Amino acid sequence: MAEAFDRQTEITSYLSRMQEALAKVSTTDLTWLAETFEQAYLAGRTLFICGNGGSAATASHLAVDLSKNTRATGRFPVRTVSLVDHVPALTAWANDFGYDQVFSGQLAGLAQPGDLVVGISTSGNSPNVLEALRYGRANGLITVGLLGPDGGLARELCDAYVLAPADSIEEQEDIHMSLAHILTRHMRAFVHASPPELTSATTAQVR
């Protein structure tokens, strides 16, 4: 008979690893990322977010949090678009041009110089995320990444990034979700503290 599975040990071990990994997250890099979001907001730019699998869910979650949970009366909202949620666009680009073009193809019709591309990838090597970052670099967008422990190829394509220093994909994805919530809370405080006349002025300039 197989040895009984020790549930308590597995649970406590996972939580311990998460605590250790979170403690290793670079607050310097996270501050760098937060400042990049601030600058985009003040300039009235749009944040385009993408990822695959669990990272697609994080991209969708971050987009709705930034667009809804940062709202303040009299302040311009954070412009945010999730590139993972438009299923007809995803299937059209994948069918006609290949899956690696599903995000960059959408960006070509939506993004403007000065906007942000946020790529979320635990490997840092997802072809479609890399193509989105390359498109951003080539077209005057700011490129940002929530990446795995070594950043993969995406690291060299990002103007700002934060690494998730954990061993397993599950732990890395958990860290990315924590980072998404930290960034949302930061932007909520930043939006609330921004003078209404400043955000309305930048909005008018962009439009």
Side-chain angles (χ1 to χ4, degrees), residues 49-64 81-87 90 99 102-103 118-122 126 128-129 146 169 173 176-177 180:
I49 311 176
C50 61
N52 295 284
S55 296
T58 303
S60 184
H61 193 139
L62 176 57
V64 71
V81 174
S82 167
L83 296 173
V84 307
D85 291 313
H86 193 335
V87 175
L90 291 172
Y99 191 64
V102 295
F103 301 138
V118 183
I120 305 176
S121 174
T122 56
S126 299
N128 53 8
V129 173
L146 298 182
I169 291 177
E173 289 179 345
H176 286 169
M177 196 66 256

Side-chain angles (χ1 to χ4, degrees), residues 1-187:
M1 183 175 178
E3 185 177 344
F5 179 66
D6 189 339
R7 300 177 182 85
Q8 187 67 29
T9 298
E10 176 61 24
I11 291 169
T12 55
S13 176
Y14 188 91
L15 292 174
S16 294
R17 292 196 305 272
M18 278 300 302
Q19 290 176 334
E20 293 173 3
L22 283 167
K24 295 177 183 177
V25 171
S26 171
T27 55
T28 299
D29 289 345
L30 185 53
T31 300
W32 177 25
L33 203 64
E35 290 173 350
T36 304
F37 277 34
E38 292 172 14
Q39 293 164 8
Y41 172 73
L42 290 177
R45 309 316 313 180
T46 301
L47 284 68
F48 295 93
I49 311 176
C50 61
N52 295 284
S55 296
T58 303
S60 184
H61 193 139
L62 176 57
V64 71
D65 279 359
L66 285 174
S67 62
K68 177 180 179 293
N69 294 345
T70 61
R71 294 292 181 98
T73 302
R75 271 71 170 181
F76 177 61
V78 179
R79 286 181 170 177
T80 314
V81 174
S82 167
L83 296 173
V84 307
D85 291 313
H86 193 335
V87 175
L90 291 172
T91 57
W93 281 100
N95 184 69
D96 296 346
F97 296 97
Y99 191 64
D100 60 337
Q101 301 296 315
V102 295
F103 301 138
S104 58
Q106 292 184 72
L107 286 173
L110 297 172
Q112 298 180 11
D115 288 340
L116 262 67
V117 182
V118 183
I120 305 176
S121 174
T122 56
S123 71
N125 297 317
S126 299
N128 53 8
V129 173
L130 294 176
E131 284 302 308
L133 296 172
R134 290 188 185 108
Y135 178 89
R137 274 282 175 91
N139 291 276
L141 281 69
I142 308 301
T143 54
V144 170
L146 298 182
L147 308 173
D150 66 10
L153 296 174
R155 183 172 182 168
E156 299 303 318
L157 294 170
C158 289
D159 298 311
Y161 60 82
V162 180
L163 306 180
D167 294 330
S168 75
I169 291 177
E170 294 89 352
E171 293 161 25
Q172 293 161 26
E173 289 179 345
D174 284 345
I175 291 173
H176 286 169
M177 196 66 256
S178 294
L179 295 175
H181 283 149
I182 290 170
L183 289 166
T184 297
R185 290 171 63 88
H186 172 80
M187 287 307 298

